[in-house]
Amino acid sequence: MNALTMTGRDRVLATLARRPVDRTPIDCWLYQKQFVERLAADYGPREKFIEEFGVDVFVGLMPYPNQYGKRFDISELASVPLEDPRDPKWLGFSDWNYDFGGVNIRTALADHHGKRAVLAHVWGMVEGTSSFLGIENCWMHLGGQPDKMAAHFDRYADWLCVQVDQLVEAGVDMMTLSDDWGSNGTMLFNPKAWRKLIKPYAGRVVAHARSLGLPVNLHSDGYILQIVDDVIEMGFSSWHPVQESAGIDPAEVKAKWGDKITIYGSLDVVDGLLKYDGDELDDYITQRFHIYAPGGGFIFNGGHFIQPDIPPLRLVRAYRLVSELAKQYRTLP
């Protein structure tokens, strides 16, 4: 691959495969509606931002699997039908919440395929099941009704594998399995329980995707260092966001796992982008590149959707620096 012909898609896929790139890939999750509106007013539309700063990824979101318009009790979970995963509505969904500013997978592909890596954001075991039970009940039943939860995860994993088939057929370049497993300083539940209740079913989905050549990104907020070796064993290609505000040390992550999984993040939305401005923010970003970028295996991104309390021009300033730093960490000759 020649540096002069490398597209954003090429750059991202090469980074995930540990092949040489002309610069560090860049992402920015501009999918929160109120922030996108503020950005347009102060700077210009999202399209201008992603072109000016060389954003290499565009995300299309899958809707939650529960589209029944109501929550269910744990006693009902086994009998709730999972709708046909081949229905075109999953990739072409349009009935989003008022604060979502992104697009569905079909639109992301139509607008960006070939130029950028199109990433399909899919809901994992806990987050997908929470759409049926509610988040508090979901966590409660992980402890109180593990057999019923595992039975649901088993059929949900099969359902997700068919969704993966649809994503591959549609032409997406990578997928995120989104499942928040961490809190501040530790996991939300015991690693032993995670290995019994979550790992086998999430691992089945990851293995199926990888068998079809689809890289899989893990999105998990919070501190999950107890299970990073498991995440790598499962076949995840990358890990987002490596959340410093939850107590994760970026230097430790790079030293222990930087050669085994691509780090996809580094700009903590709370302890970085919201906390700092001006030269302090420049120093913060420069230090993260210094830690994560040498040797490759790094995609720069924020830790989550950019939120409305972030001044848009602060983000613009930050990404002017990001676009320059990215060029300094090339692995192509």
Side-chain angles (χ1 to χ4, degrees):
M1 179 62 63
N2 188 301
L4 295 177
T5 62
M6 186 164 270
T7 66
R9 176 180 181 273
D10 297 332
R11 197 173 289 121
V12 170
L13 295 180
T15 296
L16 294 172
R18 298 296 169 131
R19 298 194 302 268
V21 291
D22 59 339
R23 64 163 171 82
T24 298
I26 297 169
D27 195 4
C28 187
W29 284 6
L30 298 173
Y31 308 115
Q32 206 285 340
K33 182 179 179 181
Q34 287 74 38
F35 180 82
V36 171
E37 291 172 345
R38 291 190 61 200
L39 180 70
D42 292 356
Y43 162 80
R46 175 172 56 200
E47 292 72 20
K48 176 184 175 183
F49 185 98
I50 65 176
E51 288 291 340
E52 179 173 348
F53 301 118
V55 174
D56 296 303
V57 185
F58 198 88
V59 177
L61 266 82
M62 189 81 75
Y64 284 115
N66 178 11
Q67 292 299 314
Y68 290 107
K70 64 176 183 177
R71 295 281 190 260
F72 297 89
D73 185 77
I74 185 66
S75 63
E76 302 173 287
L77 191 60
S79 61
V80 175
L82 293 172
E83 297 183 73
D84 184 359
R86 299 175 182 83
D87 192 312
K89 75 178 183 181
W90 301 110
L91 273 62
F93 191 78
S94 60
D95 188 19
W96 303 107
N97 293 338
Y98 78 97
D99 60 352
F100 179 62
V103 299
N104 60 47
I105 292 163
R106 292 285 185 201
T107 302
L109 284 165
D111 293 346
H112 300 278
H113 185 54
K115 185 173 185 179
R116 297 179 178 85
V118 175
L119 186 156
H121 186 105
V122 177
W123 304 103
M125 298 299 117
V126 177
E127 292 190 2
T129 303
S130 293
S131 72
F132 291 97
L133 298 175
I135 186 65
E136 292 182 358
N137 285 335
C138 185
W139 282 106
M140 179 178 70
H141 294 311
L142 282 168
Q145 301 279 355
D147 292 342
K148 290 182 179 180
M149 294 295 284
H152 176 74
F153 292 158
D154 186 38
R155 69 187 187 115
Y156 182 49
D158 287 344
W159 188 85
L160 283 176
C161 285
V162 181
Q163 290 276 21
V164 168
D165 294 338
Q166 307 310 300
L167 296 176
V168 171
E169 183 178 339
V172 304
D173 300 301
M174 57 187 296
M175 66 174 276
T176 286
L177 195 64
S178 180
D179 229 8
D180 290 343
W181 299 327
S183 184
N184 291 327
T186 192
M187 292 182 65
L188 284 165
F189 55 134
N190 188 289
K192 183 178 179 180
W194 174 88
R195 291 184 178 104
K196 181 178 180 180
L197 278 176
I198 304 297
K199 182 179 178 181
Y201 308 109
R204 186 191 308 166
V205 179
V206 176
H208 183 64
R210 295 302 301 270
S211 74
L212 298 175
L214 189 67
V216 185
N217 172 60
L218 169 65
H219 169 81
S220 176
D221 291 339
Y223 188 100
I224 60 167
L225 297 194
Q226 302 99 316
I227 60 166
V228 175
D229 288 329
D230 298 85
V231 167
I232 293 167
E233 176 192 321
M234 291 162 72
F236 282 100
S237 307
S238 56
W239 167 24
H240 177 271
V242 188
Q243 187 180 342
E244 291 182 45
S245 57
I248 294 179
D249 178 359
E252 178 187 2
V253 169
K254 179 69 174 181
K256 289 185 177 179
W257 299 292
D259 62 342
K260 300 177 179 69
I261 192 167
T262 294
I263 305 304
Y264 184 10
S266 87
L267 179 57
D268 197 296
V269 175
V270 176
D271 280 6
L273 193 55
L274 182 63
K275 182 177 180 180
Y276 298 120
D277 194 7
D279 291 343
E280 288 185 315
L281 181 57
D282 290 350
D283 290 343
Y284 174 94
I285 292 169
T286 301
Q287 289 170 10
R288 272 62 195 172
F289 266 90
H290 178 72
I291 293 168
Y292 285 127
F298 175 52
I299 301 171
F300 185 91
N301 191 16
H304 214 286
F305 289 3
I306 307 300
Q307 298 297 311
D309 53 356
I310 303 297
L313 294 183
R314 181 182 302 178
L315 184 74
V316 170
R317 174 189 168 120
Y319 270 76
R320 287 202 175 105
L321 175 62
V322 168
S323 63
E324 291 303 314
L325 289 169
K327 299 171 188 173
Q328 297 176 22
Y329 293 93
R330 57 184 294 139
T331 51
L332 276 173

